[in-house]
Amino acid sequence: MQETAPFASYASGITASHRELLDQVLDKWSLQVMEELCEQPQRFNELRRAIPVVTQKSLTAALRRLERNGMVERVVTSTRPIAVEYRITALGRTLQDLIDALLRWTTDNMDGVERARERYDGEN
């Protein structure tokens, strides 16, 4: 009997919708935004300070994508002046363990990846 990879049943069913969602949730700014919001709700400028390399335009786009996909919610506070706060949703929080696992994997395997890159770059 031939053994299949654990994710083979999922891989055969990857649709355009799956790819679009993964692209929107796993892009570099979305990952960092969700990582920050899993810690605590934050206002836009707090997120900009927490992720100093992101531009205002890129952060706005990431927040809108995440909000559209139900991962983040935008909450208008009743303070004076009125403020907007971003929070991770229950749906977004379901990604926390997966994001943590991806970050652990990159940390654990970065040396091997860099060695492979050096080998590849030396040959090409």
Side-chain angles (χ1 to χ4, degrees), residues 1-44:
M1 178 191 281
Q2 183 179 0
E3 216 173 297
T4 60
F7 60 87
S9 62
Y10 293 110
S12 64
I14 294 175
T15 66
S17 296
H18 290 109
R19 285 190 305 276
E20 178 187 23
L21 178 58
L22 290 171
D23 284 346
Q24 291 181 4
V25 173
L26 296 177
D27 73 78
K28 68 180 178 180
W29 301 127
S30 294
L31 281 174
Q32 288 187 276
V33 167
M34 287 192 295
E35 182 181 17
E36 290 297 324
L37 294 179
C38 278
E39 296 297 319
Q40 65 184 24
Q42 294 185 41
R43 293 170 60 173
F44 186 87

Side-chain angles (χ1 to χ4, degrees), residues 27-66:
D27 73 78
K28 68 180 178 180
W29 301 127
S30 294
L31 281 174
Q32 288 187 276
V33 167
M34 287 192 295
E35 182 181 17
E36 290 297 324
L37 294 179
C38 278
E39 296 297 319
Q40 65 184 24
Q42 294 185 41
R43 293 170 60 173
F44 186 87
N45 285 328
E46 292 172 321
L47 284 168
R48 288 244 2 238
R49 283 190 294 276
I51 312 168
V53 293
V54 69
T55 64
Q56 181 173 337
K57 181 179 177 181
S58 294
L59 180 56
T60 298
L63 286 166
R64 285 182 181 163
R65 279 191 308 274
L66 291 169

